[in-house]
Amino acid sequence: MAALAPSQRFPILSHWGVTGGEFARQAGPALQQVDFSVIQTFSFFNAQPAMVERFLQHASNVSSVRRIEDIKAPVGVAHAYDLMHLLAKAINLAGSTQRSAVRDALERLPAHRGLVKLYQPAFTAARHEALGARELLMARYRADGVLVPAKD
């Protein structure tokens, strides 16, 4: 797209999946020449500072992540982090790792403050999706390859 004349370039709206690899590095400077936005359901830049600090403390124990700019796939990392906490709570509540017992426990969890949001509750018997339209946001890559919330 960047190779086209500016008048021929179309805006690009991408699914969050491009954030999980080396997309920004591979696109290089061309990424800054196009109107490229990514749909996200979370940004560490918008998260509660105390929760981010807690996450970074945990992450630094098991990875080279020391600051939010080090996170290659921020949405996937945040959702995995929250889900592992929810899953651990459900296993404890179920007293078992049996699939049906854990599923039932996930539907009965109390409120949980995660990185992404306050889940109150995360799931119910009628709703197995913890996220909604309120979590959607647009993000763009900075010149250094870091994905940040788009300015309106």
Side-chain angles (χ1 to χ4, degrees):
M1 188 63 68
L4 296 173
S7 63
Q8 295 180 311
R9 297 178 191 160
F10 291 101
I12 300 168
L13 177 60
S14 177
H15 180 270
W16 66 269
V18 300
T19 69
E22 296 293 325
F23 174 75
R25 186 187 62 73
Q26 290 177 353
L31 189 54
Q32 298 303 306
Q33 297 173 23
V34 296
D35 181 358
F36 187 87
S37 298
V38 183
I39 298 170
Q40 300 282 273
T41 52
F42 174 78
S43 172
F44 279 91
F45 291 96
N46 292 345
Q48 291 186 348
M51 292 302 298
V52 172
E53 183 60 34
R54 179 179 173 207
F55 166 81
L56 288 172
Q57 288 174 353
H58 291 154
S60 69
N61 290 331
V62 296
S63 72
S64 61
V65 170
R66 300 292 179 268
R67 42 190 207 116
I68 58 178
E69 291 85 353
D70 298 333
I71 303 167
K72 296 288 186 195
V75 168
V77 168
H79 289 302
Y81 184 79
D82 282 0
L83 183 56
M84 288 302 97
H85 282 91
L86 291 167
L87 185 58
K89 286 182 174 192
I91 290 169
N92 286 337
L93 181 62
S96 168
T97 57
Q98 180 191 28
R99 182 185 173 280
S100 60
V102 173
R103 180 202 58 227
D104 292 346
L106 283 166
E107 295 172 352
R108 298 189 328 267
L109 288 176
H112 171 75
R113 165 52 65 195
L115 266 173
V116 176
K117 66 185 253 179
L118 173 62
Y119 302 91
Q120 52 181 9
F123 310 106
T124 68
R127 184 181 46 76
H128 288 171
E129 176 56 63
L131 303 178
R134 284 186 226 160
E135 283 75 49
L136 293 175
L137 64 109
M138 300 305 294
R140 299 179 66 86
Y141 282 99
R142 293 188 318 206
D144 64 359
V146 174
L147 193 63
V148 297
K151 293 183 175 39
D152 294 332

